[in-house]
Amino acid sequence: MAGETSLTTLLRSMSPQLNAGEYVFCTLRDSQLPSGLEIVGSFREQEGLTVILERAHAEQAGLSFDYVAAWITLNVHSALEAVGLTAAFATALGKAGISCNVIAGYYHDHLFVGQADAERAMHVLRELAANAE
């Protein structure tokens, strides 16, 4: 099933959803996941394996972190080759002074914003969708 490529359609129908919980980014230098660790996402970098997981799970595993985020999912099936969606929401969030770390999955884009900025980010994203042309 192909994803949407029309920027206007993507913006109008992105339906941001704030997922429950607090999320953190950790790095594992030896790239080995501790047994039983439940992660949301990962990315292998030259310096080690970056993992995204719930804060409580990181604390239980003794992993260090310095950024606590809220996780927002854009509930529109955006095509991986779609142009402009990331730029549009990143610009809107940036103008509001909200930092955003983006992970693109096959079906959806996932935004990690500072925990304290979660509700404000949701407002910005809803406004962006409502005013899309």
Side-chain angles (χ1 to χ4, degrees), residues 50-96:
T50 295
V51 293
I52 306 165
L53 64 161
E54 287 189 53
R55 179 182 187 166
H57 294 162
E59 290 173 340
Q60 289 170 353
L63 299 175
S64 61
F65 54 86
D66 57 9
Y67 176 74
V68 179
W71 172 18
I72 299 170
T73 299
L74 301 184
N75 286 311
V76 60
H77 182 182
S78 56
L80 291 169
E81 69 271 14
V83 176
L85 178 60
T86 303
F89 67 70
T91 298
L93 292 169
K95 285 181 180 178

Side-chain angles (χ1 to χ4, degrees), residues 9-118:
T9 301
L10 287 167
L11 290 171
R12 286 183 181 160
S13 57
M14 63 183 174
S15 301
Q17 171 191 329
L18 180 59
N19 298 289
E22 295 181 327
Y23 297 86
V24 297
F25 288 67
C26 302
T27 185
L28 306 172
R29 301 226 185 277
D30 62 6
S31 297
Q32 295 297 316
L33 286 175
S35 179
L37 189 63
E38 187 177 326
I39 64 169
V40 172
S42 67
F43 196 86
R44 189 170 311 281
E45 299 180 277
Q46 188 173 4
E47 297 84 357
L49 180 66
T50 295
V51 293
I52 306 165
L53 64 161
E54 287 189 53
R55 179 182 187 166
H57 294 162
E59 290 173 340
Q60 289 170 353
L63 299 175
S64 61
F65 54 86
D66 57 9
Y67 176 74
V68 179
W71 172 18
I72 299 170
T73 299
L74 301 184
N75 286 311
V76 60
H77 182 182
S78 56
L80 291 169
E81 69 271 14
V83 176
L85 178 60
T86 303
F89 67 70
T91 298
L93 292 169
K95 285 181 180 178
I98 300 171
S99 169
C100 178
N101 295 278
V102 183
I103 304 293
Y106 184 83
Y107 292 101
H108 308 287
D109 290 287
H110 304 274
L111 290 58
F112 292 87
V113 300
Q115 187 68 37
D117 292 327

